[in-house]
Amino acid sequence: MSDTNNKIRAVVLAALMVLSVFAGTIAFAGTASATLNPGNSSISPTTVDAGTTNTHTFVVEFDADTSDTTPAVVNISMPSGTDLSSPSVTGASVDAGSASFTDSDVSVNDGQDYINLTVADNSGSIGDTVRVSFDADVGAPSATGNFPVTADVDSNNDGTLETDGGTVDTLTLESSSRTINNGGTVYLGESDVDLTQISGVSAGSSATFTGVSGDADGSTASVGDPLAADITEANNFETGGYNTSGNSDGTANFFVVEPQVTDLTIYSGAGTGGADVTDGSIVTDTDTITVEADWNFDEAENVSITIEDEDGLEVQSQLTSNTGLLEIGESGGNVELSDVTDLDTGEYTVTVEGEDDLDGASRSATFTIRDESQSISLGQSSATQGDNVVATVTGTPGTYGLLRIEQGDTDDLEAGDANASQVFANTGDVQGRFGTDDLAGDQDEDYVGAVVDMDDEGEAQVRIQTDSLDTTTLDVEFVEMDSADTNPGTLQTAFNASADDSAELTVEEQSINISSAPSVVRIGEEFTIEGTAAESDEVKAYARIDQNYVPLVDEDGDWAEDDVDSNGEFSLDIDSSSNISLPDSYRIAVVADPVDDDGTNYLSAGNQDNEIDSDTYSEFDTKTTTTVRTVEGDLTAQVSSQSIAANVGDEVTLSGTALGQGDSVRVYLIGPRGNFLDASGASQAAEEIDIDEEEFEEDYAAFSNRGQYTFIVVGQGRDGDYASDYGFGGDALQSDLTPQQAVAIVNDEYTGAGVDDQIVEMTVSAENPQLSIDDFTTNGEVAQGEVTVSGTSNREDGTTVFIEVLGQNENVIASDEAEVNGSTGEWSTTIDMSDVETGTYTLRADDDEASASLEFELVESVSTPTEEPTPTEEPSTDEPTPTEEPTTDESTPTEEPTTDESTPTETSTSTPGFGVIVALIALIAAALVAVRRD
């Protein structure tokens, strides 16, 4: 608390002391007396902070008889332990009404633990009422709590207190800070904590603490005033242990704990003996509820209680005669809230939280006020026969209720006790299950029923088992019983009474549905049929072949059966290699709990493999069908490269698709020396590769020798089996074979009459590592700029080719890297030689196993040869005549004169082109003359 508040409290305490003095009887010498009026005396304020000095105003009223000259003395006694060694008492102010008392007639002095008030004789009238007001400092209490301030009277001023004047007022001593000792606990968010009693911490100077455990481990926190420390995140405090700077052994001097409200319980009625209605309900005539709380910080502060309605408005002040501030002072304590009947029906939220600094620690729960009317509700209005349906009834707390169903709505059950137990489960609220045929006397109707205890909450539940009910719509009725017993007379009355409420329940027949099934399946694949079969236990799959239904199996050879999950779902795995392995369309039947009219269970071990004829199939109650068409499967395979470098660890990838080939394919790799190899190159071994989502893939690094390698991939075919186990648990792989013999043996094993295994064969050539560079020059020249270089390689896919441009003395001018594309055997990259000087260079490519180089001339630009124009063809004649060209001086160019556009341009006859034209004309003319002569 602030110093101002402390001073105010001290003043109030001092005033209370003075009032108590005046409350004492003031006795004067002779007939002098003083009678305190405690009810009109007071102290303000009534609190004082521990550890501080506060100023308080005292008002003391007394009736004075001052006919004697001896003054009366009133001693105001302070609470035990209050330090008044040096109080500051302000002079009294007297209000005597019509009496002649003045301020000078009253003197106030202080002692060690009391305030002395002396009333002088002023010859006033008998019975005068005097009010004396004064201020006094009160402080430094040694304890906290509520303490009375009292006054005693020395009527003749002889030092003897003859009269007990009574209590002036109650002074509350409050601690301004909580003192923590070594090993103590503070709470995150707490303020004004006194840490000065911890070793190594002194008042008047800041303190820094080091975290040694918990979340605080390794962190530091500091406070400016250890006498009033704030344990907050702003001061870097975290949960865990802290030690002081003077503690070198690493142990914690105090601990910071997260404040928590650990439990909140709401009880119906006064005290904690009533029903626990936490998150439950009470009826409208409940007058009192009790709130109980547990929390881990009760040594630091109390918790407060708020209650909000559905609109978020606080209503706790309506539930108590207190001022509206509800607190619990000790963990595990409780508060009773009355007048609950004044609240409306609805849901209310109770929140308990720290009442001051730690209000962030909270916990909430609800309770609902509901009408007292009797009602019944069902968890679901319709159910498949075999479902369980929960019925909830509400009524008057402390009574019993009867739930009943007409016997005619049961599945041919009599209304006796044993049959009632087939309809109602023996759940916690059920007190007994009865039928009307077991009761003495006549009943209006035959029922089966269950009696339930509605307890203090006026609510109960029971589970209805519909497997014993007819598939119809029926009424579930509720009757509130007059007393909480199950004697025959009470039961007969309840069975004959009109229903207080009822609810309709529709019971439907069991059904089975397929939610997912393929329409086309490749023979050899396992496929799945999924669906729902509510209230069934197991399902089984059959295929209709000819006129019978044949049971199906999964890929492990187990029967295609499945237990129905609690949510009614099932999943059947079916192998298309068994019974439906011929390409065709098949009717697949799924049957729930297959039992025929004779009671034969086709799920039992002795009947699981039985084929079922159409008549027996029709006797199954719950079944459904779907159509599946089976087709031939397919196998493909390829390798990532047709050639590979030998004996350098290079790999090729074998991959492919396997549709309807089971879970894996077999791979035989035959080397150039006739030996069988696995993927790693181990001799006399073969590989089985798993199929994942109809695809397979494996890397092979078995190419240690040059020559041709042969891959043979084998799939199971539509029958789901291999024709041979050669090298896979059957006959061992043969050795000392030629490659041709080994290939022929494998092919023979998987071919022949009645064999449908699928085979794919391919080869890979293993060679010495090879690397080449494509000519990227033009007549040996390359222009400055970006230059694309490429080449070929027989290395594996992704092999790095290092490219370098070498100058004089093989110094590297430029470099780059390229990767080999294994499927094409090519590599390519672009080198920037924009800033490289012109000259002669060598391009070198190297993959650590092979290399190649090409010399080129780097120039500023490369000249491109100019193409010669194509000469124009002259028209041909029947009799071509050689053209005579006139002699011209070709060294002298013909000069064209510049003329006006209107003036004809003259051309010199010496122009070579003109001479040719003249010669042609002359030849044509000669030819015409010759023709005429003929």
Side-chain angles (χ1 to χ4, degrees):
M1 299 183 181
S2 65
D3 290 342
T4 302
N5 289 335
N6 293 337
K7 291 180 180 179
I8 292 174
R9 291 180 179 179
V11 171
V12 173
L13 180 59
L16 288 173
M17 295 178 180
V18 174
L19 290 175
S20 64
V21 174
F22 281 100
T25 302
I26 301 177
F28 293 89
T31 60
S33 65
T35 303
L36 185 70
N37 295 328
N40 295 325
S41 302
S42 64
I43 181 174
S44 177
T46 59
T47 61
V48 58
D49 290 344
T52 62
T53 298
N54 303 154
T55 301
H56 298 256
T57 298
F58 291 80
V59 177
V60 181
E61 181 176 292
F62 57 91
D63 296 329
D65 178 3
T66 56
S67 59
D68 195 284
T69 58
T70 303
V73 177
V74 178
N75 286 337
I76 301 175
S77 299
M78 300 305 296
S80 175
T82 303
D83 184 3
L84 296 178
S85 58
S86 58
S88 173
V89 179
T90 304
S93 172
V94 178
D95 177 10
S98 59
S100 57
F101 276 95
T102 64
D103 293 352
S104 61
D105 294 324
V106 179
S107 61
V108 181
N109 300 296
D110 61 85
Q112 287 291 351
D113 56 1
Y114 63 90
I115 297 174
N116 176 268
L117 180 66
T118 302
V119 183
D121 177 14
N122 68 345
S123 301
S125 301
I126 296 175
D128 285 340
T129 297
V130 180
R131 291 176 61 85
V132 180
S133 299
F134 63 93
D135 292 338
D137 288 345
V138 179
S142 60
T144 60
N146 299 323
F147 302 92
V149 175
T150 59
D152 299 300
V153 179
D154 176 7
S155 59
N156 57 8
N157 198 18
D158 63 358
T160 301
L161 302 175
E162 298 95 353
T163 305
D164 180 2
T167 300
V168 174
D169 210 333
T170 298
L171 180 66
T172 301
L173 302 181
E174 294 182 347
S175 176
S176 62
S177 62
R178 193 167 67 89
T179 301
I180 306 300
N181 296 314
N182 280 322
T185 299
V186 293
Y187 300 91
L188 192 62
E190 191 177 359
S191 62
D192 292 335
V193 179
D194 183 0
L195 302 178
T196 59
Q197 300 305 308
I198 295 176
S199 300
V201 180
S202 302
S205 61
S206 61
T208 299
F209 308 100
T210 302
V212 294
S213 65
D215 292 340
D217 192 10
S219 66
T220 58
S222 60
V223 295
D225 182 5
L227 192 61
D230 293 341
I231 312 301
T232 61
E233 292 180 354
N235 287 336
N236 293 326
F237 280 102
E238 299 179 78
T239 57
Y242 286 87
N243 67 13
T244 60
S245 57
N247 184 352
S248 60
D249 62 3
T251 60
N253 292 101
F254 66 96
F255 298 89
V256 177
V257 174
E258 182 76 28
Q260 294 179 336
V261 178
T262 56
D263 195 21
L264 168 61
T265 309
I266 307 169
Y267 296 95
S268 175
T272 58
D276 181 350
V277 296
T278 309
D279 297 325
S281 63
I282 58 176
V283 293
T284 52
D285 65 350
T286 302
D287 181 67
T288 302
I289 61 172
T290 300
V291 177
E292 180 183 63
D294 293 284
W295 66 100
N296 67 345
F297 53 91
D298 59 348
E299 61 182 319
E301 63 186 50
N302 299 342
V303 292
S304 62
I305 301 172
T306 58
I307 302 176
E308 293 183 353
D309 62 16
E310 293 175 327
D311 296 324
L313 302 177
E314 294 187 8
V315 298
Q316 66 270 12
S317 59
Q318 298 177 235
L319 306 181
T320 176
S321 58
N322 296 333
T323 60
L325 177 62
L326 302 178
E327 293 185 9
I328 305 176
E330 182 179 356
S331 179
N334 61 78
V335 169
E336 295 177 3
L337 306 176
S338 58
D339 300 328
V340 178
T341 52
D342 293 340
L343 300 179
D344 296 331
T345 58
E347 184 179 79
Y348 293 84
T349 301
V350 179
T351 300
V352 174
E353 62 184 8
E355 56 87 21
D356 192 10
D357 296 328
L358 306 180
D359 56 359
S362 67
R363 195 179 189 91
S364 297
T366 65
F367 69 93
T368 300
I369 301 176
R370 56 178 173 81
D371 291 328
E372 291 183 63
S373 59
Q374 293 82 8
S375 67
I376 181 172
S377 62
L378 302 178
Q380 56 196 82
S381 60
S382 64
T384 301
Q385 192 175 46
D387 276 349
N388 290 327
V389 177
V390 175
T392 303
V393 295
T394 59
T396 304
T399 64
Y400 279 10
L402 171 68
L403 284 83
R404 67 191 187 191
I405 294 174
E406 288 190 14
Q407 184 271 333
D409 290 328
T410 65
D411 191 7
D412 299 325
L413 296 179
E414 298 296 331
D417 292 354
N419 296 312
S421 66
Q422 293 175 258
V423 177
F424 299 100
N426 189 25
T427 51
D429 295 330
V430 173
Q431 303 301 301
R433 293 167 289 180
F434 306 93
T436 53
D437 62 346
D438 291 327
L439 300 178
D442 296 329
Q443 283 75 42
D444 295 335
E445 300 286 348
D446 287 332
Y447 292 97
V448 290
V451 176
V452 294
D453 181 3
M454 290 185 289
D455 204 5
D456 292 337
E457 297 180 29
E459 182 176 290
Q461 291 183 320
V462 64
R463 182 178 294 114
I464 301 172
Q465 302 166 143
T466 65
D467 52 358
S468 295
L469 299 178
D470 286 337
T471 53
T472 184
T473 298
L474 54 90
D475 289 328
V476 183
E477 298 178 344
F478 170 59
V479 178
E480 184 172 285
M481 301 170 65
D482 293 335
S483 61
D485 63 53
T486 57
N487 63 62
T490 303
L491 289 173
Q492 186 172 4
T493 300
F495 273 113
N496 281 330
S498 298
D500 292 313
D501 194 19
S502 65
E504 283 191 348
L505 174 62
T506 300
V507 181
E508 300 173 341
E509 290 185 355
Q510 289 182 343
S511 63
I512 184 170
N513 297 286
I514 293 176
S515 59
S516 173
S519 59
V520 179
V521 175
R522 291 180 178 86
I523 298 172
E525 288 183 328
E526 184 180 62
F527 63 96
T528 302
I529 294 178
E530 297 177 333
T532 58
E535 300 312 314
S536 296
D537 295 323
E538 292 182 81
V539 292
K540 186 172 183 176
Y542 294 84
R544 181 169 181 173
I545 300 176
D546 297 327
Q547 299 302 313
N548 289 339
Y549 289 84
V550 179
L552 297 173
V553 296
D554 61 19
E555 65 180 1
D556 296 325
D558 298 325
W559 298 109
E561 300 171 351
D562 189 36
D563 294 332
V564 179
D565 294 341
S566 59
N567 58 4
E569 296 179 351
F570 67 82
S571 178
L572 291 167
D573 295 327
I574 300 172
D575 182 14
S576 63
S577 300
S578 174
N579 294 325
I580 55 174
S581 59
L582 294 177
D584 201 352
S585 290
Y586 295 90
R587 197 72 176 163
I588 307 297
V590 180
V591 183
D593 302 329
V595 178
D596 62 17
D597 291 346
D598 294 333
T600 303
N601 183 357
Y602 291 90
L603 293 170
S604 62
N607 304 317
Q608 281 180 311
D609 59 347
N610 290 356
E611 292 187 11
I612 298 171
D613 59 31
S614 297
D615 290 339
T616 302
Y617 177 77
S618 65
E619 295 173 3
F620 296 151
D621 291 332
T622 310
K623 53 187 179 290
T624 187
T625 62
T626 186
T627 299
V628 173
R629 182 166 60 91
T630 58
V631 297
E632 292 281 0
D634 190 22
L635 176 67
T636 67
Q638 59 276 328
V639 288
S640 59
S641 179
Q642 300 298 318
S643 63
I644 193 70
N647 201 29
V648 293
D650 281 2
E651 298 178 346
V652 297
T653 300
L654 172 68
S655 61
T657 58
L659 311 178
Q661 305 299 314
D663 293 331
S664 62
V665 294
R666 291 178 175 177
V667 180
Y668 297 87
L669 175 59
I670 301 165
R673 299 180 182 178
N675 52 331
F676 291 92
L677 305 169
D678 65 9
S680 64
S683 183
Q684 296 310 110
E687 201 82 24
E688 197 163 34
I689 303 176
D690 291 338
I691 299 171
D692 184 14
E693 296 184 355
E694 301 184 336
E695 295 182 349
F696 63 90
E697 182 177 300
E698 185 73 33
D699 293 330
Y700 277 77
F703 310 101
S704 58
N705 297 305
R706 289 176 295 154
Q708 180 172 289
Y709 290 76
T710 301
F711 283 96
I712 300 177
V713 182
V714 185
Q716 292 178 354
R718 60 182 176 82
D719 62 1
D721 291 315
Y722 289 105
S724 171
D725 284 334
Y726 183 64
F728 290 91
D731 295 334
L733 295 168
Q734 295 170 261
S735 58
D736 300 327
L737 301 173
T738 66
Q740 294 78 14
Q741 289 174 325
V743 171
I745 289 173
V746 173
N747 280 293
D748 288 345
E749 292 285 339
Y750 293 97
T751 58
V755 177
D756 62 358
D757 294 344
Q758 298 197 29
I759 300 178
V760 179
E761 184 176 324
M762 68 210 78
T763 60
V764 173
S765 178
E767 307 162 344
N768 287 328
Q770 297 175 12
L771 181 67
S772 68
I773 301 173
D774 297 334
D775 189 357
F776 58 92
T777 70
T778 302
N779 296 326
E781 294 182 338
V782 176
Q784 289 174 316
E786 291 189 345
V787 178
T788 299
V789 294
S790 60
T792 60
S793 171
N794 65 352
R795 297 298 305 282
E796 67 179 350
D797 186 63
T799 298
T800 300
V801 178
F802 300 95
I803 313 298
E804 295 177 332
V805 177
L806 306 177
Q808 295 291 337
N809 301 322
E810 293 195 350
N811 55 317
V812 178
I813 305 301
S815 64
D816 203 348
E817 295 178 2
E819 285 190 356
V820 175
N821 183 335
S823 62
T824 63
E826 298 176 344
W827 59 266
S828 177
T829 189
T830 299
I831 300 178
D832 187 1
M833 289 190 282
S834 301
D835 298 329
V836 179
E837 296 180 358
T838 59
T840 300
Y841 296 94
T842 299
L843 179 77
R844 183 171 64 191
D846 193 327
D847 63 7
D848 290 336
E849 295 293 341
S851 63
S853 61
L854 179 65
E855 189 175 277
F856 65 93
E857 188 76 20
L858 184 65
V859 297
E860 292 182 358
S861 62
V862 176
S863 59
T864 304
T866 305
E867 294 186 3
E868 295 291 335
T870 304
T872 304
E873 282 190 14
E874 297 293 341
S876 62
T877 60
D878 292 340
E879 296 180 9
T881 303
T883 303
E884 183 178 349
E885 292 189 9
T887 303
T888 60
D889 185 5
E890 295 182 0
S891 61
T892 305
T894 303
E895 187 175 10
E896 297 275 342
T898 302
T899 61
D900 187 85
E901 291 183 0
S902 60
T903 304
T905 303
E906 294 185 4
T907 305
S908 171
T909 57
S910 63
T911 302
F914 189 78
V916 173
I917 294 172
V918 172
L920 287 173
I921 293 173
L923 287 173
I924 293 170
L928 289 175
V929 171
V931 172
R932 283 187 177 183
R933 286 179 180 176
D934 290 342

